[in-house]
Amino acid sequence: MAVLEKEIEAVKQCSTHYVLAVNDALNAISGKWKLPIIGCLLFGKQRFKELERNIDKITPRMLSKELKDLEMLGMVKRTVFDTIPVTVEYELTRSGKSLRKVLDAMMEWGVQHRRETMGR
Amino acid sequence: MAVLEKEIEAVKQCSTHYVLAVNDALNAISGKWKLPIIGCLLFGKQRFKELERNIDKITPRMLSKELKDLEMLGMVKRTVFDTIPVTVEYELTRSGKSLRKVLDAMMEWGVQHRRETMGR
DNA sequence: CTGAATCCCCCAGGATACTG
DNA sequence: CAGTATCCTGGGGGATTCAG
């Protein structure tokens, strides 16, 4: 789709739009827990309790709140199953999954930056 | 340098190291003002007062604090000139400039995500 | 199991005034 | 010009308890 690339080029020319778009991405991953949660879900769908176990030291309150945020942002899909007791599955949306490109870029920068600041 | 690529591949395999490296990048750009500041400096060196003018609503206190943070992180270089009154120039280091790749990735994600969530 | 409700603390960041 | 020094507030996030 050439239309998307046109838009991306346009945003690059306007510092205001550029910062706004970057901020959208930043909001999607900033805060203490969003990154660990997304990291977990990149491995596949998981239930509430699984996430709670897999993420070190997170409380149900925080997990619940962050998952709700991520759902609002269209990053996570929530599915309820009518079992007894109920079970709930969380998984990344397409947008959520596509964050991997961003996270990879950040990771590569992080690795390189460590080498340059701390020697080796 | 194949060594760096090896390290990057290794980090990809370890979720803990991965999240840590991503966090390094996150710390370098999170907070209310780091992004606008880096955005400004991507256009070239600038003095304190120029930054204050170019960044909407920032106070000297915040600008000073954030610049100091960015300097500690090895993102920004500070140069003092013994004029009267003194002038100080800020510019991005190599690490700081290389953030552009990350920001571009975030921006592209932001633009695409808007399309997918808000219709169009 | 999957959360919601309450209470509480800390600190990022704003407003304002001052200095070398 | 290039910052510091104080004071103050909101809300992010912890601990604990309760509910469907």
Side-chain angles (χ1 to χ4, degrees), chain A residues 18 22 25 29 35 42 97-114, chain B residues 4 8-9 11-12 17-29 75 95-110:
Chain A
Y18 186 90
V22 175
I29 59 178
L35 209 51
L42 280 173
K97 286 178 200 155
S98 72
L99 257 183
R100 177 167 247 146
K101 275 196 285 292
V102 175
L103 299 183
D104 279 353
M106 294 178 73
M107 180 274 279
E108 291 187 22
W109 182 90
V111 170
Q112 211 158 343
H113 180 248
R114 251 170 208 272
Chain B
L4 175 59
I8 287 177
E9 271 316 301
V11 173
K12 274 193 188 173
H17 284 175
Y18 186 90
V19 170
L20 285 180
V22 175
N23 245 316
D24 282 353
L26 202 50
N27 287 332
I29 59 178
M75 313 271 304
S95 257
K97 286 177 201 155
S98 72
L99 258 182
R100 177 167 248 147
K101 275 195 286 291
V102 175
L103 299 183
D104 279 353
M106 294 177 73
M107 180 275 280
E108 291 187 22
W109 183 89

Side-chain angles (χ1 to χ4, degrees), chain A residues 26-61:
Chain A
L26 203 49
N27 287 331
I29 59 178
S30 65
K32 190 170 179 182
W33 298 110
K34 292 206 180 61
L35 209 51
I37 292 173
I38 292 170
C40 271
L41 291 178
L42 280 173
F43 289 110
K45 17 180 104 168
Q46 256 173 294
R47 299 174 41 191
F48 191 87
K49 196 64 174 184
E50 291 180 289
L51 287 168
E52 190 181 343
R53 269 192 293 262
N54 289 149
I55 300 174
D56 200 32
K57 313 272 185 193
I58 196 169
T59 63
R61 165 177 153 74

Side-chain angles (χ1 to χ4, degrees), chain B:
Chain B
M1 37 185 68
V3 189
L4 175 59
E5 270 118 50
K6 284 271 171 86
E7 185 171 356
I8 287 177
E9 271 316 301
V11 173
K12 274 193 188 173
Q13 306 315 316
C14 172
S15 72
T16 308
H17 284 175
Y18 186 90
V19 170
L20 285 180
V22 175
N23 245 316
D24 282 353
L26 202 50
N27 287 332
I29 59 178
S30 66
K32 191 170 179 183
W33 297 111
K34 292 206 181 61
L35 209 53
I37 291 173
I38 292 170
C40 272
L41 291 177
L42 280 173
F43 288 110
K45 13 180 106 169
Q46 255 172 295
R47 300 173 41 190
F48 191 89
K49 195 64 176 186
E50 292 180 289
L51 286 168
E52 191 181 341
R53 270 192 292 263
N54 288 149
I55 300 172
D56 200 34
K57 313 271 187 195
I58 196 170
T59 63
R61 166 179 152 73
M62 275 302 112
L63 182 54
S64 172
K65 180 188 173 303
E66 297 296 284
L67 284 170
K68 210 175 288 177
D69 287 0
L70 290 171
E71 200 188 347
M72 292 292 95
L73 291 169
M75 313 271 304
V76 159
K77 176 151 165 278
R78 179 174 180 273
T79 315
V80 183
F81 297 94
D82 266 9
T83 55
I84 299 176
V86 301
T87 65
V88 181
E89 264 182 14
Y90 292 91
E91 62 187 312
L92 294 178
T93 62
R94 196 177 158 293
S95 257
K97 286 177 201 155
S98 72
L99 258 182
R100 177 167 248 147
K101 275 195 286 291
V102 175
L103 299 183
D104 279 353
M106 294 177 73
M107 180 275 280
E108 291 187 22
W109 183 89
V111 170
Q112 211 159 344
H113 180 248
R114 251 170 209 272
R115 300 194 145 218
E116 290 182 11
T117 56
M118 345 295 224
R120 187 82 17 72

Side-chain angles (χ1 to χ4, degrees), chain A:
Chain A
M1 35 185 69
V3 188
L4 175 59
E5 268 119 50
K6 284 272 171 91
E7 183 170 357
I8 287 178
E9 273 314 303
V11 173
K12 273 193 187 173
Q13 306 316 315
C14 173
S15 72
T16 307
H17 284 176
Y18 186 90
V19 169
L20 285 179
V22 175
N23 245 316
D24 282 353
L26 203 49
N27 287 331
I29 59 178
S30 65
K32 190 170 179 182
W33 298 110
K34 292 206 180 61
L35 209 51
I37 292 173
I38 292 170
C40 271
L41 291 178
L42 280 173
F43 289 110
K45 17 180 104 168
Q46 256 173 294
R47 299 174 41 191
F48 191 87
K49 196 64 174 184
E50 291 180 289
L51 287 168
E52 190 181 343
R53 269 192 293 262
N54 289 149
I55 300 174
D56 200 32
K57 313 272 185 193
I58 196 169
T59 63
R61 165 177 153 74
M62 275 302 113
L63 182 54
S64 172
K65 179 186 173 302
E66 297 296 285
L67 284 170
K68 206 177 291 175
D69 287 1
L70 290 171
E71 201 187 348
M72 291 293 95
L73 290 168
M75 314 270 305
V76 159
K77 175 150 167 277
R78 179 175 180 272
T79 315
V80 183
F81 296 93
D82 266 8
T83 55
I84 299 176
V86 300
T87 66
V88 181
E89 264 184 11
Y90 292 91
E91 63 187 311
L92 294 178
T93 62
R94 197 178 157 293
S95 258
K97 286 178 200 155
S98 72
L99 257 183
R100 177 167 247 146
K101 275 196 285 292
V102 175
L103 299 183
D104 279 353
M106 294 178 73
M107 180 274 279
E108 291 187 22
W109 182 90
V111 170
Q112 211 158 343
H113 180 248
R114 251 170 208 272
R115 302 195 144 217
E116 289 182 12
T117 57
M118 347 295 223
R120 193 71 9 73

